[in-house]
Amino acid sequence: MLQLNLTPFPVLQTDRLTLRQLRHTDAPEVLSLRSDDEVMKYIGRPRAKSMEDAMQLINQINDRISNNESINWAITLKGSEKVIGIIGYVNIKKEHFRAEVGYLLDIGFHRKGIMQESLYAVIDFGFKHMMLHSIEAITDPNNDASQSLLKKNRFIQEAFFKEDFYFEEKFLDSAVFSLLVSEFYAN
Ligand SMILES: CC(C)(COP(=O)(O)OP(=O)(O)OC[C@H]1O[C@@H](n2cnc3c(N)ncnc32)[C@H](O)[C@@H]1OP(=O)(O)O)[C@@H](O)C(=O)NCCC(=O)NCCS
């Protein structure tokens, strides 16, 4: 069984970014991200509607970190406190050394390689420090940006589930991608 210890919070540094823990003061940016129809287009989660919703989300994320259940990082540019995106592992199946990765980024920062940089750091941390054996990603089949990002990082589509996800009175399809530790570090 995987043993997780997420305290102290593992801050990750990349060339341009600091991936840190979310704070209450990040609520305006979290609200903006989670209420943006473009950003949330393929994410089957209720839109945040108020600062209260955003605060609740931050509390939930941080409680789960304290309980070693799951982890999300705030994506920030070095030298800035402003949160421009979120990335993390949810649905961690400790008995299988497996977790689901999820991410979203402010529209103003798309196509600058920011999520590539973030995802690489999070995958590397997941395999080297959390001791994951595999990582999965569940995408909307129409989410070309996310699927290309996953393929670029050696994820392979392993499943397509028809109408397995019920959201806002619709049954949606899912394309499931997966990455093994051996595949990520293979030459
Ligand atoms: C998916 C998402 C995180 C990509 O972030 P990003 O920082 O713009 O992506 P990057 O600039 O790092 O691009 C890395 C790779 O992703 C792919 N990609 C990113 N945006 C793309 C787009 N609009 N169309 C096609 N491929 C795209 C490309 O393969 C790209 O590599 P390349 O630049 O060599 O072509 C961003 O579009 C987003 O936040 N979308 C909304 C939230 C979401 O859908 N999350 C995923 C839920 S499963």
mmCIF file of all heavy atoms in Angstrom, residues 16 38-43 101-107 109-118 137-140 143-153, ligand 1:
data_model
loop_
_atom_site.group_PDB
_atom_site.id
_atom_site.type_symbol
_atom_site.label_atom_id
_atom_site.label_comp_id
_atom_site.label_asym_id
_atom_site.label_seq_id
_atom_site.Cartn_x
_atom_site.Cartn_y
_atom_site.Cartn_z
ATOM 1 N N ARG A 16 10.080 28.423 -14.915
ATOM 2 C CA ARG A 16 9.298 29.670 -14.864
ATOM 3 C C ARG A 16 8.285 29.726 -13.739
ATOM 4 O O ARG A 16 7.685 30.773 -13.503
ATOM 5 C CB ARG A 16 8.532 29.845 -16.188
ATOM 6 C CG ARG A 16 9.400 30.083 -17.382
ATOM 7 C CD ARG A 16 8.534 30.195 -18.645
ATOM 8 N NE ARG A 16 7.914 28.915 -19.002
ATOM 9 C CZ ARG A 16 6.974 28.757 -19.922
ATOM 10 N NH1 ARG A 16 6.525 29.814 -20.584
ATOM 11 N NH2 ARG A 16 6.470 27.574 -20.196
ATOM 12 N N GLU A 38 -15.179 28.997 -20.542
ATOM 13 C CA GLU A 38 -14.183 28.458 -21.482
ATOM 14 C C GLU A 38 -13.288 27.433 -20.785
ATOM 15 O O GLU A 38 -13.063 26.337 -21.277
ATOM 16 C CB GLU A 38 -13.306 29.614 -21.990
ATOM 17 C CG GLU A 38 -13.385 30.033 -23.438
ATOM 18 C CD GLU A 38 -13.854 28.999 -24.448
ATOM 19 O OE1 GLU A 38 -13.000 28.279 -24.984
ATOM 20 O OE2 GLU A 38 -15.064 28.922 -24.720
ATOM 21 N N VAL A 39 -12.775 27.825 -19.614
ATOM 22 C CA VAL A 39 -11.872 26.937 -18.854
ATOM 23 C C VAL A 39 -12.610 25.668 -18.425
ATOM 24 O O VAL A 39 -12.061 24.569 -18.466
ATOM 25 C CB VAL A 39 -11.303 27.678 -17.611
ATOM 26 C CG1 VAL A 39 -10.503 26.732 -16.723
ATOM 27 C CG2 VAL A 39 -10.435 28.859 -18.033
ATOM 28 N N MET A 40 -13.864 25.823 -18.033
ATOM 29 C CA MET A 40 -14.626 24.701 -17.455
ATOM 30 C C MET A 40 -15.388 23.897 -18.507
ATOM 31 O O MET A 40 -16.085 22.943 -18.158
ATOM 32 C CB MET A 40 -15.621 25.249 -16.417
ATOM 33 C CG MET A 40 -14.977 25.914 -15.219
ATOM 34 S SD MET A 40 -13.948 24.784 -14.247
ATOM 35 C CE MET A 40 -15.204 23.779 -13.460
ATOM 36 N N LYS A 41 -15.228 24.279 -19.773
ATOM 37 C CA LYS A 41 -16.037 23.691 -20.849
ATOM 38 C C LYS A 41 -16.073 22.156 -20.808
ATOM 39 O O LYS A 41 -17.109 21.543 -21.001
ATOM 40 C CB LYS A 41 -15.461 24.163 -22.194
ATOM 41 C CG LYS A 41 -16.264 23.763 -23.385
ATOM 42 C CD LYS A 41 -15.748 24.499 -24.621
ATOM 43 C CE LYS A 41 -16.448 24.015 -25.877
ATOM 44 N NZ LYS A 41 -15.781 24.512 -27.072
ATOM 45 N N TYR A 42 -14.919 21.538 -20.558
ATOM 46 C CA TYR A 42 -14.855 20.075 -20.588
ATOM 47 C C TYR A 42 -14.679 19.474 -19.198
ATOM 48 O O TYR A 42 -14.230 18.338 -19.070
ATOM 49 C CB TYR A 42 -13.694 19.629 -21.484
ATOM 50 C CG TYR A 42 -13.860 20.048 -22.928
ATOM 51 C CD1 TYR A 42 -12.942 20.906 -23.531
ATOM 52 C CD2 TYR A 42 -14.931 19.578 -23.684
ATOM 53 C CE1 TYR A 42 -13.083 21.285 -24.861
ATOM 54 C CE2 TYR A 42 -15.079 19.954 -25.011
ATOM 55 C CZ TYR A 42 -14.154 20.800 -25.588
ATOM 56 O OH TYR A 42 -14.294 21.172 -26.906
ATOM 57 N N ILE A 43 -14.943 20.254 -18.180
ATOM 58 C CA ILE A 43 -14.757 19.757 -16.814
ATOM 59 C C ILE A 43 -16.127 19.586 -16.161
ATOM 60 O O ILE A 43 -16.855 20.560 -15.969
ATOM 61 C CB ILE A 43 -13.851 20.705 -15.993
ATOM 62 C CG1 ILE A 43 -12.469 20.780 -16.658
ATOM 63 C CG2 ILE A 43 -13.750 20.229 -14.549
ATOM 64 C CD1 ILE A 43 -11.468 21.645 -15.957
ATOM 65 N N VAL A 101 -4.748 12.476 -12.528
ATOM 66 C CA VAL A 101 -4.260 13.856 -12.604
ATOM 67 C C VAL A 101 -5.335 14.741 -13.237
ATOM 68 O O VAL A 101 -6.080 14.301 -14.115
ATOM 69 C CB VAL A 101 -2.913 13.924 -13.400
ATOM 70 C CG1 VAL A 101 -3.105 13.682 -14.892
ATOM 71 C CG2 VAL A 101 -2.199 15.241 -13.150
ATOM 72 N N GLY A 102 -5.417 15.978 -12.750
ATOM 73 C CA GLY A 102 -6.366 16.946 -13.322
ATOM 74 C C GLY A 102 -5.719 18.324 -13.304
ATOM 75 O O GLY A 102 -4.820 18.578 -12.494
ATOM 76 N N TYR A 103 -6.149 19.194 -14.236
ATOM 77 C CA TYR A 103 -5.511 20.516 -14.327
ATOM 78 C C TYR A 103 -6.417 21.498 -15.051
ATOM 79 O O TYR A 103 -7.289 21.112 -15.832
ATOM 80 C CB TYR A 103 -4.171 20.405 -15.083
ATOM 81 C CG TYR A 103 -4.222 19.449 -16.240
ATOM 82 C CD1 TYR A 103 -4.847 19.787 -17.428
ATOM 83 C CD2 TYR A 103 -3.691 18.164 -16.121
ATOM 84 C CE1 TYR A 103 -4.925 18.897 -18.477
ATOM 85 C CE2 TYR A 103 -3.785 17.246 -17.167
ATOM 86 C CZ TYR A 103 -4.396 17.634 -18.345
ATOM 87 O OH TYR A 103 -4.499 16.732 -19.395
ATOM 88 N N LEU A 104 -6.195 22.755 -14.788
ATOM 89 C CA LEU A 104 -6.858 23.827 -15.541
ATOM 90 C C LEU A 104 -6.024 25.088 -15.438
ATOM 91 O O LEU A 104 -5.278 25.280 -14.470
ATOM 92 C CB LEU A 104 -8.297 24.047 -15.065
ATOM 93 C CG LEU A 104 -8.613 24.796 -13.774
ATOM 94 C CD1 LEU A 104 -10.104 24.922 -13.592
ATOM 95 C CD2 LEU A 104 -8.037 24.091 -12.587
ATOM 96 N N LEU A 105 -6.139 25.919 -16.488
ATOM 97 C CA LEU A 105 -5.273 27.098 -16.596
ATOM 98 C C LEU A 105 -6.078 28.290 -17.102
ATOM 99 O O LEU A 105 -6.901 28.144 -18.016
ATOM 100 C CB LEU A 105 -4.138 26.777 -17.597
ATOM 101 C CG LEU A 105 -3.042 27.811 -17.758
ATOM 102 C CD1 LEU A 105 -2.199 27.906 -16.482
ATOM 103 C CD2 LEU A 105 -2.134 27.444 -18.944
ATOM 104 N N ASP A 106 -5.804 29.446 -16.529
ATOM 105 C CA ASP A 106 -6.424 30.704 -16.976
ATOM 106 C C ASP A 106 -6.221 30.879 -18.490
ATOM 107 O O ASP A 106 -5.101 30.710 -18.994
ATOM 108 C CB ASP A 106 -5.721 31.840 -16.206
ATOM 109 C CG ASP A 106 -6.323 33.195 -16.482
ATOM 110 O OD1 ASP A 106 -6.359 33.612 -17.659
ATOM 111 O OD2 ASP A 106 -6.716 33.837 -15.506
ATOM 112 N N ILE A 107 -7.306 31.234 -19.168
ATOM 113 C CA ILE A 107 -7.280 31.375 -20.634
ATOM 114 C C ILE A 107 -6.143 32.301 -21.109
ATOM 115 O O ILE A 107 -5.501 32.042 -22.120
ATOM 116 C CB ILE A 107 -8.631 31.959 -21.134
ATOM 117 C CG1 ILE A 107 -9.757 30.963 -20.905
ATOM 118 C CG2 ILE A 107 -8.560 32.421 -22.574
ATOM 119 C CD1 ILE A 107 -9.791 29.828 -21.898
ATOM 120 N N PHE A 109 -3.273 32.533 -20.267
ATOM 121 C CA PHE A 109 -1.936 31.929 -20.220
ATOM 122 C C PHE A 109 -1.826 30.665 -21.081
ATOM 123 O O PHE A 109 -0.815 29.968 -21.038
ATOM 124 C CB PHE A 109 -1.551 31.619 -18.763
ATOM 125 C CG PHE A 109 -1.389 32.855 -17.932
ATOM 126 C CD1 PHE A 109 -2.465 33.412 -17.269
ATOM 127 C CD2 PHE A 109 -0.150 33.490 -17.856
ATOM 128 C CE1 PHE A 109 -2.325 34.580 -16.524
ATOM 129 C CE2 PHE A 109 0.009 34.650 -17.117
ATOM 130 C CZ PHE A 109 -1.088 35.198 -16.440
ATOM 131 N N HIS A 110 -2.870 30.392 -21.854
ATOM 132 C CA HIS A 110 -2.836 29.191 -22.701
ATOM 133 C C HIS A 110 -1.768 29.300 -23.789
ATOM 134 O O HIS A 110 -1.410 30.371 -24.223
ATOM 135 C CB HIS A 110 -4.205 28.968 -23.362
ATOM 136 C CG HIS A 110 -5.223 28.359 -22.420
ATOM 137 N ND1 HIS A 110 -6.389 27.774 -22.851
ATOM 138 C CD2 HIS A 110 -5.222 28.225 -21.072
ATOM 139 C CE1 HIS A 110 -7.077 27.322 -21.817
ATOM 140 N NE2 HIS A 110 -6.390 27.595 -20.719
ATOM 141 N N ARG A 111 -1.304 28.144 -24.221
ATOM 142 C CA ARG A 111 -0.375 27.978 -25.347
ATOM 143 C C ARG A 111 0.962 28.674 -25.142
ATOM 144 O O ARG A 111 1.573 29.170 -26.080
ATOM 145 C CB ARG A 111 -1.002 28.460 -26.671
ATOM 146 C CG ARG A 111 -2.285 27.804 -27.078
ATOM 147 C CD ARG A 111 -2.317 26.418 -27.628
ATOM 148 N NE ARG A 111 -1.178 25.641 -27.965
ATOM 149 C CZ ARG A 111 -1.150 24.760 -28.953
ATOM 150 N NH1 ARG A 111 -2.165 24.636 -29.747
ATOM 151 N NH2 ARG A 111 -0.105 24.008 -29.142
ATOM 152 N N LYS A 112 1.406 28.680 -23.898
ATOM 153 C CA LYS A 112 2.729 29.234 -23.604
ATOM 154 C C LYS A 112 3.611 28.156 -22.963
ATOM 155 O O LYS A 112 4.645 28.458 -22.369
ATOM 156 C CB LYS A 112 2.618 30.426 -22.642
ATOM 157 C CG LYS A 112 1.839 31.617 -23.199
ATOM 158 C CD LYS A 112 1.705 32.703 -22.130
ATOM 159 C CE LYS A 112 0.680 33.759 -22.475
ATOM 160 N NZ LYS A 112 0.934 34.515 -23.692
ATOM 161 N N GLY A 113 3.147 26.920 -22.994
ATOM 162 C CA GLY A 113 3.931 25.828 -22.419
ATOM 163 C C GLY A 113 3.822 25.736 -20.904
ATOM 164 O O GLY A 113 4.580 24.992 -20.267
ATOM 165 N N ILE A 114 2.886 26.476 -20.320
ATOM 166 C CA ILE A 114 2.796 26.508 -18.845
ATOM 167 C C ILE A 114 2.324 25.158 -18.297
ATOM 168 O O ILE A 114 2.880 24.647 -17.321
ATOM 169 C CB ILE A 114 1.814 27.613 -18.382
ATOM 170 C CG1 ILE A 114 2.285 28.949 -18.938
ATOM 171 C CG2 ILE A 114 1.618 27.586 -16.861
ATOM 172 C CD1 ILE A 114 2.827 29.934 -18.009
ATOM 173 N N MET A 115 1.290 24.579 -18.935
ATOM 174 C CA MET A 115 0.807 23.306 -18.377
ATOM 175 C C MET A 115 1.778 22.184 -18.675
ATOM 176 O O MET A 115 1.939 21.274 -17.870
ATOM 177 C CB MET A 115 -0.602 22.975 -18.881
ATOM 178 C CG MET A 115 -1.314 21.978 -18.008
ATOM 179 S SD MET A 115 -1.327 22.408 -16.225
ATOM 180 C CE MET A 115 -2.649 23.582 -16.144
ATOM 181 N N GLN A 116 2.461 22.252 -19.795
ATOM 182 C CA GLN A 116 3.493 21.247 -20.077
ATOM 183 C C GLN A 116 4.537 21.265 -18.949
ATOM 184 O O GLN A 116 4.910 20.220 -18.407
ATOM 185 C CB GLN A 116 4.137 21.545 -21.448
ATOM 186 C CG GLN A 116 5.350 20.687 -21.771
ATOM 187 C CD GLN A 116 5.048 19.188 -21.762
ATOM 188 O OE1 GLN A 116 3.941 18.769 -22.104
ATOM 189 N NE2 GLN A 116 6.017 18.380 -21.343
ATOM 190 N N GLU A 117 4.992 22.456 -18.603
ATOM 191 C CA GLU A 117 6.001 22.607 -17.548
ATOM 192 C C GLU A 117 5.455 22.105 -16.198
ATOM 193 O O GLU A 117 6.149 21.427 -15.442
ATOM 194 C CB GLU A 117 6.366 24.105 -17.453
ATOM 195 C CG GLU A 117 7.748 24.366 -16.921
ATOM 196 C CD GLU A 117 8.154 25.832 -17.165
ATOM 197 O OE1 GLU A 117 8.052 26.335 -18.305
ATOM 198 O OE2 GLU A 117 8.577 26.478 -16.182
ATOM 199 N N SER A 118 4.187 22.445 -15.915
ATOM 200 C CA SER A 118 3.574 22.041 -14.640
ATOM 201 C C SER A 118 3.366 20.528 -14.593
ATOM 202 O O SER A 118 3.686 19.875 -13.599
ATOM 203 C CB SER A 118 2.208 22.702 -14.467
ATOM 204 O OG SER A 118 2.301 24.077 -14.586
ATOM 205 N N ALA A 137 -5.801 9.841 -16.529
ATOM 206 C CA ALA A 137 -6.451 11.124 -16.796
ATOM 207 C C ALA A 137 -7.753 10.814 -17.532
ATOM 208 O O ALA A 137 -7.758 10.034 -18.486
ATOM 209 C CB ALA A 137 -5.558 12.009 -17.651
ATOM 210 N N ILE A 138 -8.825 11.412 -17.060
ATOM 211 C CA ILE A 138 -10.136 11.169 -17.661
ATOM 212 C C ILE A 138 -10.554 12.434 -18.383
ATOM 213 O O ILE A 138 -10.663 13.501 -17.768
ATOM 214 C CB ILE A 138 -11.167 10.779 -16.583
ATOM 215 C CG1 ILE A 138 -10.658 9.529 -15.849
ATOM 216 C CG2 ILE A 138 -12.542 10.539 -17.203
ATOM 217 C CD1 ILE A 138 -11.489 9.123 -14.655
ATOM 218 N N THR A 139 -10.718 12.324 -19.697
ATOM 219 C CA THR A 139 -10.982 13.531 -20.479
ATOM 220 C C THR A 139 -12.309 13.439 -21.228
ATOM 221 O O THR A 139 -12.767 12.343 -21.555
ATOM 222 C CB THR A 139 -9.886 13.746 -21.550
ATOM 223 O OG1 THR A 139 -9.970 12.693 -22.513
ATOM 224 C CG2 THR A 139 -8.500 13.746 -20.954
ATOM 225 N N ASP A 140 -12.861 14.597 -21.530
ATOM 226 C CA ASP A 140 -13.981 14.657 -22.466
ATOM 227 C C ASP A 140 -13.393 14.333 -23.846
ATOM 228 O O ASP A 140 -12.361 14.891 -24.230
ATOM 229 C CB ASP A 140 -14.555 16.089 -22.436
ATOM 230 C CG ASP A 140 -15.748 16.242 -23.332
ATOM 231 O OD1 ASP A 140 -15.646 15.950 -24.560
ATOM 232 O OD2 ASP A 140 -16.794 16.685 -22.830
ATOM 233 N N ASN A 143 -12.024 17.139 -25.906
ATOM 234 C CA ASN A 143 -11.019 18.042 -25.331
ATOM 235 C C ASN A 143 -9.648 17.805 -25.994
ATOM 236 O O ASN A 143 -8.754 17.176 -25.424
ATOM 237 C CB ASN A 143 -10.943 17.849 -23.814
ATOM 238 C CG ASN A 143 -10.182 18.974 -23.144
ATOM 239 O OD1 ASN A 143 -9.507 19.757 -23.812
ATOM 240 N ND2 ASN A 143 -10.277 19.050 -21.817
ATOM 241 N N ASP A 144 -9.492 18.343 -27.210
ATOM 242 C CA ASP A 144 -8.272 18.101 -27.985
ATOM 243 C C ASP A 144 -7.031 18.628 -27.280
ATOM 244 O O ASP A 144 -5.977 18.000 -27.319
ATOM 245 C CB ASP A 144 -8.369 18.787 -29.363
ATOM 246 C CG ASP A 144 -9.453 18.164 -30.217
ATOM 247 O OD1 ASP A 144 -9.787 16.978 -29.982
ATOM 248 O OD2 ASP A 144 -9.974 18.851 -31.107
ATOM 249 N N ALA A 145 -7.145 19.794 -26.647
ATOM 250 C CA ALA A 145 -5.970 20.398 -25.996
ATOM 251 C C ALA A 145 -5.449 19.470 -24.906
ATOM 252 O O ALA A 145 -4.246 19.168 -24.843
ATOM 253 C CB ALA A 145 -6.345 21.755 -25.410
ATOM 254 N N SER A 146 -6.342 18.982 -24.067
ATOM 255 C CA SER A 146 -5.919 18.125 -22.967
ATOM 256 C C SER A 146 -5.371 16.791 -23.487
ATOM 257 O O SER A 146 -4.353 16.291 -23.000
ATOM 258 C CB SER A 146 -7.103 17.882 -22.026
ATOM 259 O OG SER A 146 -6.694 17.144 -20.924
ATOM 260 N N GLN A 147 -6.020 16.247 -24.490
ATOM 261 C CA GLN A 147 -5.562 14.958 -25.012
ATOM 262 C C GLN A 147 -4.189 15.081 -25.678
ATOM 263 O O GLN A 147 -3.348 14.200 -25.528
ATOM 264 C CB GLN A 147 -6.594 14.397 -25.982
ATOM 265 C CG GLN A 147 -7.902 14.092 -25.253
ATOM 266 C CD GLN A 147 -8.852 13.219 -26.052
ATOM 267 O OE1 GLN A 147 -8.557 12.828 -27.165
ATOM 268 N NE2 GLN A 147 -9.988 12.923 -25.475
ATOM 269 N N SER A 148 -3.951 16.188 -26.389
ATOM 270 C CA SER A 148 -2.632 16.385 -27.008
ATOM 271 C C SER A 148 -1.561 16.552 -25.939
ATOM 272 O O SER A 148 -0.446 16.025 -26.066
ATOM 273 C CB SER A 148 -2.614 17.628 -27.889
ATOM 274 O OG SER A 148 -3.551 17.506 -28.893
ATOM 275 N N LEU A 149 -1.915 17.284 -24.892
ATOM 276 C CA LEU A 149 -0.965 17.471 -23.786
ATOM 277 C C LEU A 149 -0.604 16.118 -23.160
ATOM 278 O O LEU A 149 0.568 15.838 -22.884
ATOM 279 C CB LEU A 149 -1.599 18.399 -22.741
ATOM 280 C CG LEU A 149 -0.863 18.580 -21.421
ATOM 281 C CD1 LEU A 149 0.428 19.380 -21.635
ATOM 282 C CD2 LEU A 149 -1.742 19.308 -20.397
ATOM 283 N N LEU A 150 -1.611 15.289 -22.957
ATOM 284 C CA LEU A 150 -1.364 13.978 -22.351
ATOM 285 C C LEU A 150 -0.480 13.109 -23.254
ATOM 286 O O LEU A 150 0.490 12.502 -22.798
ATOM 287 C CB LEU A 150 -2.695 13.261 -22.074
ATOM 288 C CG LEU A 150 -3.541 13.907 -20.971
ATOM 289 C CD1 LEU A 150 -4.963 13.357 -20.979
ATOM 290 C CD2 LEU A 150 -2.901 13.707 -19.596
ATOM 291 N N LYS A 151 -0.792 13.107 -24.546
ATOM 292 C CA LYS A 151 -0.007 12.279 -25.480
ATOM 293 C C LYS A 151 1.434 12.757 -25.534
ATOM 294 O O LYS A 151 2.361 11.956 -25.626
ATOM 295 C CB LYS A 151 -0.632 12.323 -26.876
ATOM 296 C CG LYS A 151 -1.917 11.506 -26.968
ATOM 297 C CD LYS A 151 -2.500 11.611 -28.371
ATOM 298 C CE LYS A 151 -3.928 11.094 -28.410
ATOM 299 N NZ LYS A 151 -4.710 11.675 -29.506
ATOM 300 N N LYS A 152 1.603 14.071 -25.466
ATOM 301 C CA LYS A 152 2.960 14.649 -25.481
ATOM 302 C C LYS A 152 3.779 14.148 -24.277
ATOM 303 O O LYS A 152 4.996 14.073 -24.330
ATOM 304 C CB LYS A 152 2.828 16.175 -25.436
ATOM 305 C CG LYS A 152 4.093 16.909 -25.734
ATOM 306 C CD LYS A 152 3.840 18.397 -25.828
ATOM 307 C CE LYS A 152 5.157 19.127 -25.717
ATOM 308 N NZ LYS A 152 5.346 20.156 -26.692
ATOM 309 N N ASN A 153 3.064 13.798 -23.221
ATOM 310 C CA ASN A 153 3.723 13.295 -22.011
ATOM 311 C C ASN A 153 3.635 11.775 -21.892
ATOM 312 O O ASN A 153 3.739 11.224 -20.794
ATOM 313 C CB ASN A 153 3.143 13.990 -20.783
ATOM 314 C CG ASN A 153 3.596 15.437 -20.720
ATOM 315 O OD1 ASN A 153 4.720 15.707 -20.327
ATOM 316 N ND2 ASN A 153 2.754 16.357 -21.181
HETATM 317 C C1 LIG B 1 -5.429 21.678 -21.473
HETATM 318 C C2 LIG B 1 -4.715 22.928 -20.985
HETATM 319 C C3 LIG B 1 -4.388 22.759 -19.517
HETATM 320 C C4 LIG B 1 -3.393 23.101 -21.786
HETATM 321 O O1 LIG B 1 -2.610 24.121 -21.171
HETATM 322 P P1 LIG B 1 -1.544 25.013 -21.955
HETATM 323 O O2 LIG B 1 -0.622 25.603 -20.955
HETATM 324 O O3 LIG B 1 -2.243 25.923 -22.894
HETATM 325 O O4 LIG B 1 -0.758 23.913 -22.789
HETATM 326 P P2 LIG B 1 0.773 24.059 -23.256
HETATM 327 O O5 LIG B 1 0.976 25.406 -23.855
HETATM 328 O O6 LIG B 1 1.659 23.635 -22.155
HETATM 329 O O7 LIG B 1 0.844 23.005 -24.443
HETATM 330 C C5 LIG B 1 1.421 21.720 -24.278
HETATM 331 C C6 LIG B 1 0.839 20.793 -25.335
HETATM 332 O O8 LIG B 1 -0.556 20.639 -25.113
HETATM 333 C C7 LIG B 1 -1.202 20.544 -26.389
HETATM 334 N N1 LIG B 1 -2.156 21.658 -26.535
HETATM 335 C C8 LIG B 1 -2.331 22.704 -25.687
HETATM 336 N N2 LIG B 1 -3.331 23.495 -26.131
HETATM 337 C C9 LIG B 1 -3.796 22.955 -27.261
HETATM 338 C C10 LIG B 1 -4.841 23.297 -28.154
HETATM 339 N N3 LIG B 1 -5.605 24.384 -27.961
HETATM 340 N N4 LIG B 1 -5.061 22.491 -29.214
HETATM 341 C C11 LIG B 1 -4.333 21.388 -29.419
HETATM 342 N N5 LIG B 1 -3.298 21.003 -28.595
HETATM 343 C C12 LIG B 1 -3.046 21.778 -27.535
HETATM 344 C C13 LIG B 1 -0.135 20.553 -27.442
HETATM 345 O O9 LIG B 1 0.274 19.220 -27.649
HETATM 346 C C14 LIG B 1 0.965 21.320 -26.752
HETATM 347 O O10 LIG B 1 2.221 21.020 -27.231
HETATM 348 P P3 LIG B 1 2.844 21.946 -28.448
HETATM 349 O O11 LIG B 1 2.864 23.341 -27.912
HETATM 350 O O12 LIG B 1 4.199 21.364 -28.640
HETATM 351 O O13 LIG B 1 1.912 21.803 -29.602
HETATM 352 C C15 LIG B 1 -5.581 24.201 -21.183
HETATM 353 O O14 LIG B 1 -6.057 24.213 -22.506
HETATM 354 C C16 LIG B 1 -6.769 24.293 -20.233
HETATM 355 O O15 LIG B 1 -6.666 24.771 -19.110
HETATM 356 N N6 LIG B 1 -7.936 23.856 -20.691
HETATM 357 C C17 LIG B 1 -9.162 23.973 -19.869
HETATM 358 C C18 LIG B 1 -9.175 23.031 -18.690
HETATM 359 C C19 LIG B 1 -9.165 21.583 -19.106
HETATM 360 O O16 LIG B 1 -9.755 21.209 -20.115
HETATM 361 N N7 LIG B 1 -8.489 20.745 -18.320
HETATM 362 C C20 LIG B 1 -8.349 19.337 -18.592
HETATM 363 C C21 LIG B 1 -9.444 18.516 -18.063
HETATM 364 S S1 LIG B 1 -9.133 16.790 -18.463
#
